[in-house]
Amino acid sequence: MRRLIVRRLLQTVPMLFFVSLVCFALVKAAPGDPVLSFVTPNMHADDIERVRHNLGLDQPAYVQYVKWLKEGLSGNFGYSLVNHQPVLGQIVDRLPATAGLVGAAIALAVLLAIPLGLLAGANRNKWVDKLVNLLAYIGISVPLFWLAILFVYLFAIRLHWLPSLGMHTIGKNGALDVIKHGILPCAVLAIGFLSVYVRYIRSSTISQLKEDYVQIQYAFGSAKRTVLFRHVLKHVLLPVITLLGMSLGDLVTGAIVTETVFSWPGIGSLGMTAVRGFDYPVILGITLLSSVMLIVGNLLADMLYGFADPRIKLTR
């Protein structure tokens, strides 16, 4: 296992380099000029070029990339072109809000997906399975931004049950107020995750029920519920571990649209502001951080495989 971890860590170096190169190239190829945010109607052309020179945007693209990469390796991702604040500081300040929101949504989705997926797989082609599949397909097909707007209209505007915007009520800073503001965005994200998780767990349950050990347990007189939750569940957790590892990157950028709709002060809304303002350093910082989290998530998933299934550890 230690050798596996070292090998995977070494593989992340060229992967991160490639990701940073592609992200930088896409940002540079995007339309728009960040210098325009500093231009006033009466500004002279020489002053505009001076601003461009001060920002380092008059240098060739490869020089800008090497300079940005060198600073990034030392933990300095530059300063925002909009508010002139350190990029890393802004991301760290907003990370708890996004991590708490997306983490709660993932946890809620997993807790609901496991029993629903097992129930659907154990009752294949019955009305329970068809109902779960229908709801899962609807959750996958419906855009999250439309679902978020629907929730705001229904629960905030029509019923007045929950607040629609922000993370705090003005003058209130309690944990209960934060939870109340986070119910709607958390529910929207949870529906998106739940729809995907249920499909994977259902498929894995169906395949596991065909294995010999299940038939042996039935031959010994074990109840269906016991077979599902004591034996099949252990093997069903393997794809769940994969999904959780892939979802770790969503802790950074998984709520961009949802945070924008609900005005949640997380990294998603920061990224949307950066895109609208052509704030290249912030865009690159968020993209690189999400890539690192995704790679770390896959590494953690490989490590958890060995604990969930000893056969994988012996094979490796």
Side-chain angles (χ1 to χ4, degrees):
M1 181 63 70
R2 185 179 301 175
R3 185 178 300 176
L4 171 66
I5 295 174
V6 173
R7 185 170 70 248
R8 289 296 301 272
L9 289 176
L10 293 177
Q11 291 175 354
T12 60
V13 176
M15 192 180 304
L16 287 176
F17 172 76
F18 178 75
V19 169
S20 65
L21 184 61
V22 172
C23 292
F24 191 87
L26 291 176
V27 168
K28 286 298 179 183
D33 188 357
V35 178
L36 296 179
S37 59
F38 298 89
V39 175
T40 60
N42 298 326
M43 185 174 290
H44 194 270
D46 294 338
D47 297 329
I48 297 176
E49 292 302 321
R50 190 178 299 109
V51 172
R52 190 181 303 274
H53 175 74
N54 292 334
L55 295 176
L57 299 177
D58 59 338
Q59 299 176 344
Y62 70 91
V63 176
Q64 298 181 40
Y65 172 74
V66 172
K67 184 178 180 181
W68 172 78
L69 183 62
K70 182 179 178 180
E71 294 292 333
L73 292 175
S74 62
N76 180 19
F77 292 96
Y79 290 83
S80 170
L81 300 180
V82 176
N83 54 26
H84 312 291
Q85 298 295 321
V87 173
L88 186 59
Q90 295 185 71
I91 294 177
V92 171
D93 290 340
R94 302 238 185 170
L95 183 59
T98 297
L101 178 64
V102 181
I106 292 176
L108 179 61
V110 171
L111 291 177
L112 295 177
I114 291 177
L116 289 177
L118 288 173
L119 183 64
N123 298 275
R124 185 181 182 184
N125 295 328
K126 296 182 179 179
W127 70 269
V128 176
D129 182 32
K130 293 180 180 180
L131 178 61
V132 173
N133 273 328
L134 176 62
L135 296 177
Y137 282 129
I138 293 176
I140 294 174
S141 304
V142 173
L144 290 184
F145 75 89
W146 183 85
L147 187 62
I149 296 174
L150 179 63
F151 276 21
V152 169
Y153 175 76
L154 180 61
F155 296 104
I157 298 178
R158 297 290 296 179
L159 300 177
H160 302 285
W161 287 355
L162 297 168
S164 60
L165 300 175
M167 186 176 177
H168 298 280
T169 302
I170 298 177
K172 297 182 180 179
N173 294 318
L176 184 60
D177 184 63
V178 175
I179 294 174
K180 190 175 181 181
H181 280 77
I183 290 177
L184 288 182
C186 181
V188 171
L189 292 175
I191 290 174
F193 290 122
L194 175 63
S195 304
V196 178
Y197 293 171
V198 165
R199 295 291 301 165
Y200 276 94
I201 295 175
R202 174 189 177 274
S203 177
S204 181
T205 302
I206 292 174
S207 63
Q208 290 299 320
L209 289 176
K210 299 177 182 178
E211 297 293 332
D212 293 336
Y213 73 89
V214 175
Q215 304 303 322
I216 293 174
Q217 292 297 324
Y218 284 142
F220 285 154
S222 299
K224 188 175 183 180
R225 181 190 301 267
T226 303
V227 174
L228 281 177
F229 288 95
R230 182 174 296 180
H231 303 283
V232 175
L233 179 60
K234 298 178 182 179
H235 301 275
V236 169
L237 289 178
L238 291 179
V240 176
I241 292 175
T242 303
L243 294 174
L244 291 178
M246 296 177 62
S247 300
L248 194 59
D250 294 329
L251 293 177
V252 179
T253 59
I256 293 180
V257 177
T258 306
E259 286 185 359
T260 303
V261 173
F262 289 100
S263 298
W264 189 264
I267 295 181
S269 57
L270 176 65
M272 289 298 294
T273 303
V275 170
R276 288 193 293 264
F278 304 108
D279 199 347
Y280 295 159
V282 175
I283 298 173
L284 289 172
I286 294 176
T287 305
L288 189 61
L289 179 59
S290 63
S291 302
V292 172
M293 295 292 289
L294 180 59
I295 293 173
V296 171
N298 289 329
L299 177 60
L300 292 177
D302 286 343
M303 295 171 59
L304 291 175
Y305 277 154
F307 296 101
D309 193 345
R311 296 174 299 175
I312 299 177
K313 185 185 299 185
L314 291 176
T315 302
R316 287 174 175 172

